[in-house]
Amino acid sequence: MTAPWGKRGDMIVHESEPFNAEPTPAALARAVLTSTDAFYVRNHGPVPELDPRTWRLSVRGLIARPLTLSLADLQSQFDHHRVIATMQCAGNGRAGLMAVRAMPGHPWQRGATATATWTGARLADVLTAAGLDTTRGHVAFEAPDIAVDACPPQRFGASIPLAKAMSDEVLLAWRMNGQPLHAVHGAPVRVVVPGYIGARSVKWVDRVTVREHPSLNYFQDVAYRLAGQALGPIAVNSAILAPDDGATVAAGPVTITGYAMAGDGRGITRVEVSLDGGRQWHRAELGSRLSQWAWRQWSITLDLPPGEVEVTARAWDVTAATQPEHEAPLWNPKGYANNAWARTRYLVKAK
């Protein structure tokens, strides 16, 4: 059974049009690389189904040689690069903030996060070919999807600092998990900005502009901001994926798994799990490090006593940053950047 756009039938669909959905924790826990049918989808407007034969990318702004590139141009004129990277929506975990105080928006759980292998041309190579004419500034992206919730309704857009844009990991990608991009994931070409919130990885991109200041697009200048700042790198966070919240398990050894990640190349160094609200912690085993841009899966086997048990997890990154304990101080009216301790409850039955 499949959901719209080739997604798994058990996807948690928050909205049908525009399509917004996340996988169940169990589906996300299946593999370190997320299958395309389980990869979350965040859209602000209807999915534009573009013809790759007629698609063109316009490169303009503070450059010496403006470019107009077809997909064939992009694939033939530039080296192909592959990056394993995790994407995470800025609203990941919003449901936890909604439990503190109501707010509008989709009640994303911790599944608006997923990891894939992306293949494409480095944005830096394209900008260099265009005769980049500045060492400071920003690179703006636009796409043809029209977001009706923007004020006024407009094409989706975003920008990133030029220093990030020129980093090796930022791609103009046309393949995902070894296959051509699906329409719902940005075909024929999307931007992939590892380590930044998913909104900066603009799907269906058709315009790249080097400019002195950040984009004035609604989704850069108004939305996806917190405390007056445009959101960029992702804060260290984690999730418990299996067993699922509310599961009934047998008393005794239970293996608990999840993910942990931090933005902009900051690796995960430690994940700890507690059964008593944080008084005592147990160190989890970290899974393989696929790249500096990918999450780390983790697991731990603990003896669970009969009764209702709350399991808590927290992670640290390489800068020694860790997650805050509670969600209440993180509450904001847009429901962004919830990186509080992960919590789940199990009903543990005696054998």
Side-chain angles (χ1 to χ4, degrees), residues 4 17 19 40 43 62 77 100 110-111 130 133 137 141 179 196 212 237 247 252 259 290 311 313 348:
E17 186 61 61
F19 185 62
Y40 81 93
N43 290 326
L62 301 177
Q77 296 178 20
V100 175
R110 300 268 179 152
D133 202 26
F141 313 112
Q179 300 296 321
Y196 273 43
E212 183 178 356
N237 65 93
Y259 71 74
L290 298 180
V311 180
V348 183

Side-chain angles (χ1 to χ4, degrees), residues 274-296:
S274 176
L275 301 180
D276 57 10
R279 289 184 293 276
Q280 181 180 9
W281 293 95
H282 309 271
R283 191 159 181 168
E285 180 180 351
L286 292 177
S288 59
R289 185 174 185 261
L290 298 180
S291 83
Q292 73 179 105
W293 307 106
W295 63 12
R296 298 286 293 273

Side-chain angles (χ1 to χ4, degrees), residues 155-332:
R155 288 160 49 97
F156 188 87
S159 65
I160 58 175
L162 180 61
K164 178 66 175 178
M166 295 300 289
S167 299
D168 286 347
E169 71 276 3
V170 179
L171 299 183
L172 295 169
W174 55 77
R175 294 179 79 85
M176 176 184 181
N177 289 334
Q179 300 296 321
L181 281 173
H182 293 185
V184 77
H185 288 298
V189 175
R190 69 172 298 161
V191 186
V192 174
V193 186
Y196 273 43
I197 63 167
R200 307 311 180 209
S201 291
V202 175
K203 297 186 285 189
W204 313 291
V205 63
D206 63 7
R207 187 176 301 169
V208 174
T209 306
V210 182
R211 46 185 289 135
E212 183 178 356
H213 301 292
S215 170
L216 295 178
N217 185 274
Y218 174 84
F219 293 98
Q220 181 75 34
D221 198 44
V222 178
Y224 292 109
R225 299 179 73 88
L226 189 57
Q229 299 295 315
L231 293 172
I234 298 166
V236 59
N237 65 93
S238 66
I240 300 168
L241 297 178
D244 199 0
D245 187 40
T248 298
V249 299
V254 175
T255 299
I256 302 165
T257 64
Y259 71 74
M261 67 168 294
D264 217 16
R266 302 189 314 275
I268 294 297
T269 58
R270 187 161 86 249
V271 172
E272 292 182 336
V273 177
S274 176
L275 301 180
D276 57 10
R279 289 184 293 276
Q280 181 180 9
W281 293 95
H282 309 271
R283 191 159 181 168
E285 180 180 351
L286 292 177
S288 59
R289 185 174 185 261
L290 298 180
S291 83
Q292 73 179 105
W293 307 106
W295 63 12
R296 298 286 293 273
Q297 291 194 323
W298 57 263
S299 66
I300 189 170
T301 300
L302 296 172
D303 282 322
L304 302 189
E308 187 175 277
V309 175
E310 182 181 71
V311 180
T312 305
R314 64 182 182 183
W316 276 262
D317 69 19
V318 295
T319 69
T322 189
Q323 300 175 244
E325 180 176 356
H326 298 296
E327 286 156 322
L330 300 173
W331 190 93
N332 61 88

